[in-house]
Amino acid sequence: MEQTTDKMLARKDGAIGHVIFNNPEKHNAVSLEMWDACERILDDFEKDGDIRVVVLSGAGGKSFVSGADISKFDKERGSMEAVKHYNDRIKVVYERIQYFPKPTIAMINGYCIGGGLNLAASCDLRFCSDKSKFAMPAAKLALGYPFAAIKRLIDAVGPAAAKHFMFTAERIDAEEAYRVGFVSKVVGEGDLESFVADYAGKISANAPLTVKAMKLISNEVLKDAETRDLALCDRLVDECFASEDYKEGRRAFMEKRPPEFKGS
């Protein structure tokens, strides 16, 4: 395991890259330093052609991410200038995850609170253990939430469920998170890691250029019509059909064998 800072860890398991929030004594509350380290890890994973899927998780077995580290608010968010700097930085990291060119999975085991909920909503897919709890407690802390974060939550669960999260600041359990569509599956705590590893492995075995195209085109679908880059969508599709992987996929189908995709 490669240690990037005391509070953030990166690990590569074959084609799967792991981003691990490592602040378990504070339920993986995130400081500005941790967000900066997260971005550096993502930069490395994007450049590494062997990494095809990224899994985000929290250390310690009690929390995914419980939000911002409130003990550092006086230093990191104690003035309007500091608040603006903090919000600008985390906006960049959330968008980095949301628009990351490789699939991202939030593996949630325990508390997923506040900024952790926004982090999970930035991921393409979310799976959780049956003990997980979810909440958006901003209304109990008098915090403001920006447009992008609220839109991300509404895109994930719809306006009514998002407003319940935001207005009441109440916690919901794993089954309720599944019912409203925030997570795609709930599994027993002991099975979560193996389930996510198997799921990520299925993705990583598929054609990387096709998966990338589907990810990026999906992001364009979610944008307002006037801001969509349809030329990009067309180019991504053309790249799939022009690839060696497309030839390999056809050969493998005819030869009745699993394809071996190279991402080229």
Side-chain angles (χ1 to χ4, degrees), residues 60-172:
K62 293 183 179 179
S63 298
F64 173 63
V65 168
S66 61
D69 188 343
I70 296 176
S71 70
K72 295 196 174 186
F73 270 23
D74 283 346
K75 178 181 178 181
E76 296 183 349
R77 301 167 84 174
S79 67
M80 288 302 296
E81 183 180 0
V83 166
K84 184 179 185 306
H85 174 71
Y86 183 94
N87 288 344
D88 286 347
R89 281 299 299 131
I90 63 172
K91 178 177 183 289
V92 167
V93 182
Y94 285 135
E95 290 182 351
R96 185 83 174 88
I97 296 166
Q98 183 175 359
Y99 298 108
F100 197 69
K102 303 174 184 182
T104 54
I105 298 174
M107 181 171 69
I108 302 163
N109 185 27
Y111 293 108
C112 180
I113 308 293
L117 196 74
N118 196 13
L119 175 67
S122 301
C123 295
D124 297 307
L125 297 159
R126 295 169 288 277
F127 304 112
C128 76
S129 69
D130 51 9
K131 75 173 188 181
S132 297
K133 304 289 184 183
F134 303 81
M136 180 63 74
K140 292 184 176 180
L141 295 167
L143 298 176
Y145 254 72
F147 175 90
I150 291 174
K151 183 179 186 304
R152 204 172 281 125
L153 186 59
I154 290 174
D155 286 343
V157 300
K163 289 172 185 176
H164 171 72
F165 268 115
M166 294 185 291
F167 295 169
T168 69
E170 291 179 348
R171 292 180 184 176
I172 67 170

Side-chain angles (χ1 to χ4, degrees), residues 2 30-31 42 52 56 59 79 82 112 147 156 164 172-173 184 189 215 222-223 232 236:
E2 175 192 350
V30 189
S31 65
L42 292 170
R52 297 186 179 182
L56 290 83
S79 67
C112 180
F147 175 90
H164 171 72
I172 67 170
D173 61 18
S184 298
E189 181 180 7
K215 163 82 186 264
L222 293 172
K223 292 180 180 179
L232 169 66
L236 291 167

Side-chain angles (χ1 to χ4, degrees), residues 197-217:
D198 181 65
Y199 193 99
K202 291 176 182 177
I203 295 174
S204 68
N206 289 332
L209 291 177
T210 298
V211 173
K212 175 185 175 181
M214 289 177 170
K215 163 82 186 264
L216 297 183
I217 292 172

